[in-house]
Amino acid sequence: MSTTIITAGYIVIGDEILSGRTKDKNIGFLASYLTDLGIDLCEVRVVPDVEQKIVEAINALRSEYTYVFTSGGIGPTHDDITADAVAKAFGVSIDLDPRAYQLLLDYYGEGNFNVSRQRMARIPAGADLIENTVSIAPGFRLENVHVMAGVPQIMQAMVLAITPTLKTGQKMLSVTIDAPLAESSIATELGKIQENFPQTSIGSYPHSKDGKFSTQVVVRSRANDVLEQASEAVRAAVEAAKTKFL
Amino acid sequence: MSTTIITAGYIVIGDEILSGRTKDKNIGFLASYLTDLGIDLCEVRVVPDVEQKIVEAINALRSEYTYVFTSGGIGPTHDDITADAVAKAFGVSIDLDPRAYQLLLDYYGEGNFNVSRQRMARIPAGADLIENTVSIAPGFRLENVHVMAGVPQIMQAMVLAITPTLKTGQKMLSVTIDAPLAESSIATELGKIQENFPQTSIGSYPHSKDGKFSTQVVVRSRANDVLEQASEAVRAAVEAAKTKFL
């Protein structure tokens, strides 16, 4: 089994997320999907439809992570500037791409393939297309950057389309332990267990319902045996705390 | 009426968002809330529970925007490292804060105020406390950075608590126009209207239901008269496109 760690950054592009008009659904989807694949999502940025901001984010993340994913801003309208921003970030030219042009021409037909629709065939030089099974207009991959649509249904179809091309690492495994306690009741013990099991990452997530606090403890590790040992230690700590505090 | 533009950056801190375990609810809330107040949310970053990453994000955003908001990582457990990261970002010391200590001591009582709970009284030097009406442990503000809890109910209570202290700018107004058309049917016209009304920001948001595409056009501006003129032009373009394409 590979012990390589594959990392990713994700850039959500769009004024509509930052204004609150559209509630993002893509971050949660991609985070879960990549975790299941064995790719660690390490950072997300949400940036506006401003070329300089998109360029900065792409260049910051593409040098830092194995993969970068973007969504949003590849449609036919004037505010769709992602393809141009990607070309600028990489310092390559951008023009109508014959492959994308043909796909869109076949879809719309000669009479309806207007200038705006042709805009969706603008692809940076050197990029591979990403198939769009929902509405044809393709995304693209340039080096390690994957550029996808923002509409969740299309974004998800594009993620499925690129999945076979992605390297994946050793999967992060996790065990969740429910504790019917405020997290401060078990915090000291959890800290000790974390110290004893440095190969794990132990997270503590409080929530409240009807004024009563409880906690989910999530133990994560790439090594199954260590995961089991640390989880057992957490379970014992939770039982001891229940005896003390309940 | 003020014509000042007040900007904000938001940092979501937590491995649980990046792993997909927890689906973020705070970005959409804060985006809508700040828009309603007259503060422009310009960027969001989601970073892991890694001190260096938190420090970098705070320092990148606090020099760029009027305000920075953070949520997550201020609880009692070992993975709650936000307060220490903020102190490091500002180069100030951090210790038990007498005000926060007293609040928590009163709440838990002497016998139950253990070392983990005392951890929640660690506040960087020079910070003001942010009231937590839900579970007492306070957030804090240091210069333009507001540090809040990640649990949505508590985060929202803290946002309400700081609202009277925030400067607000001239509100971004918006008009939404529904078009029962694919956005590529109106894209060329929208581009022209955007050029004619540079004081507005015109966004086009496609969605699909049962295989049928439609589009919401959102016109935004701080000037009401310009907003009305541009919106009227969009309505006329949509009507013309309906005649042509439907």
Side-chain angles (χ1 to χ4, degrees):
Chain A
M1 189 184 282
S2 161
T3 53
T4 319
I5 294 174
I6 308 289
T7 59
Y10 176 32
I11 305 170
V12 177
I13 298 162
D15 291 348
E16 69 277 19
I17 305 292
L18 293 167
S19 74
R21 182 200 161 275
T22 301
K23 304 304 177 208
D24 166 76
K25 291 175 185 164
N26 292 335
I27 295 173
F29 165 77
L30 192 67
S32 293
Y33 191 86
L34 293 178
T35 298
D36 287 346
L37 275 185
I39 295 174
D40 290 1
L41 180 61
C42 296
E43 183 174 348
V44 179
R45 296 192 187 185
V46 186
V47 299
D49 298 318
V50 173
E51 186 176 81
Q52 183 209 337
K53 291 290 173 186
I54 303 172
V55 170
E56 281 173 15
I58 289 169
N59 282 335
L61 269 53
R62 75 187 177 98
S63 60
E64 187 149 1
Y65 304 112
T66 316
Y67 295 121
V68 174
F69 303 93
T70 80
S71 64
I74 62 166
T77 56
H78 62 277
D79 58 335
D80 290 307
I81 60 173
T82 299
D84 287 88
V86 172
K88 193 162 189 177
F90 279 89
V92 301
S93 62
I94 177 165
D95 208 339
L96 291 180
D97 179 281
R99 300 161 298 175
Y101 191 92
Q102 192 62 48
L103 281 172
L104 288 159
L105 178 61
D106 292 347
Y107 181 63
Y108 287 112
E110 195 119 11
N112 290 317
F113 193 32
N114 61 31
V115 173
S116 298
R117 286 171 174 159
Q118 289 173 25
R119 204 175 141 75
M120 293 189 286
R122 285 172 60 78
I123 305 283
D128 295 325
L129 301 189
I130 296 175
E131 187 181 12
N132 171 356
T133 54
V134 178
S135 58
I136 306 306
F140 61 86
R141 181 188 65 78
L142 187 55
E143 296 185 15
N144 63 338
V145 178
H146 300 75
V147 176
M148 305 184 292
V151 176
Q153 189 195 358
I154 306 175
M155 185 268 197
Q156 291 173 24
M158 289 183 172
V159 170
L160 288 181
I162 60 177
T163 298
T165 71
L166 300 173
K167 286 180 292 186
T168 56
Q170 194 171 351
K171 219 166 131 170
M172 182 65 83
L173 307 168
S174 73
V175 168
T176 299
I177 295 138
D178 285 302
L181 297 158
E183 65 171 350
S184 55
S185 307
I186 47 173
T188 308
E189 283 307 311
L190 289 184
K192 284 183 199 158
I193 298 168
Q194 176 68 81
E195 269 180 36
N196 290 343
F197 295 94
Q199 270 187 282
T200 68
S201 157
I202 301 178
S204 164
Y205 306 111
H207 43 107
S208 65
K209 204 181 168 182
D210 307 327
K212 208 170 143 46
F213 283 89
S214 60
T215 304
Q216 284 197 314
V217 181
V218 179
V219 185
R220 304 170 77 223
S221 179
R222 290 190 163 80
N224 198 44
D225 51 343
V226 179
L227 180 72
E228 279 309 318
Q229 291 162 25
S231 301
E232 203 41 53
V234 171
R235 281 187 206 100
V238 168
E239 289 309 314
K242 278 162 71 175
T243 307
K244 192 169 164 194
F245 291 103
L246 294 185
Chain B
M1 191 185 278
S2 161
T3 53
T4 319
I5 294 174
I6 308 291
T7 59
Y10 176 31
I11 306 168
V12 177
I13 299 162
D15 291 348
E16 70 277 20
I17 304 292
L18 293 166
S19 73
R21 182 200 161 274
T22 301
K23 305 303 178 208
D24 166 75
K25 291 176 185 163
N26 292 333
I27 295 174
F29 165 77
L30 192 66
S32 292
Y33 190 87
L34 293 178
T35 299
D36 287 345
L37 274 185
I39 295 173
D40 289 3
L41 181 62
C42 297
E43 182 173 349
V44 179
R45 295 193 187 184
V46 186
V47 299
D49 299 317
V50 173
E51 186 176 82
Q52 184 209 338
K53 291 289 175 187
I54 304 172
V55 169
E56 280 173 14
I58 289 170
N59 282 336
L61 270 52
R62 74 186 177 99
S63 60
E64 188 149 1
Y65 303 113
T66 315
Y67 295 120
V68 174
F69 303 94
T70 80
S71 63
I74 62 167
T77 55
H78 62 276
D79 58 335
D80 290 307
I81 60 173
T82 299
D84 286 86
V86 172
K88 193 162 189 178
F90 279 89
V92 301
S93 61
I94 178 165
D95 207 339
L96 292 179
D97 178 282
R99 300 162 300 178
Y101 191 91
Q102 191 63 48
L103 281 172
L104 289 159
L105 179 60
D106 291 348
Y107 180 64
Y108 285 112
E110 194 118 12
N112 289 317
F113 193 31
N114 61 30
V115 173
S116 297
R117 287 171 173 160
Q118 289 173 25
R119 204 174 142 76
M120 294 190 284
R122 284 171 61 78
I123 305 283
D128 296 325
L129 301 189
I130 296 175
E131 187 181 12
N132 171 355
T133 54
V134 178
S135 59
I136 305 306
F140 61 87
R141 180 187 67 78
L142 187 55
E143 295 184 13
N144 64 338
V145 178
H146 300 75
V147 176
M148 306 185 292
V151 176
Q153 189 194 0
I154 306 175
M155 185 268 198
Q156 292 173 24
M158 288 182 173
V159 171
L160 288 181
I162 59 177
T163 297
T165 72
L166 299 174
K167 287 180 292 183
T168 56
Q170 193 171 349
K171 219 168 132 169
M172 182 66 82
L173 307 168
S174 74
V175 167
T176 300
I177 296 140
D178 286 301
L181 297 158
E183 64 171 351
S184 54
S185 307
I186 47 170
T188 308
E189 285 306 312
L190 289 184
K192 286 183 199 159
I193 298 169
Q194 175 69 81
E195 270 180 33
N196 291 342
F197 296 95
Q199 270 185 283
T200 67
S201 158
I202 301 177
S204 165
Y205 305 112
H207 43 107
S208 67
K209 204 181 169 183
D210 307 327
K212 208 171 144 43
F213 283 90
S214 60
T215 303
Q216 285 196 315
V217 181
V218 179
V219 185
R220 304 169 77 222
S221 179
R222 290 190 163 82
N224 197 45
D225 51 343
V226 179
L227 181 72
E228 278 310 316
Q229 291 162 27
S231 301
E232 203 41 52
V234 171
R235 279 187 206 101
V238 168
E239 288 309 313
K242 278 163 70 176
T243 307
K244 191 169 164 196
F245 291 103
L246 293 186

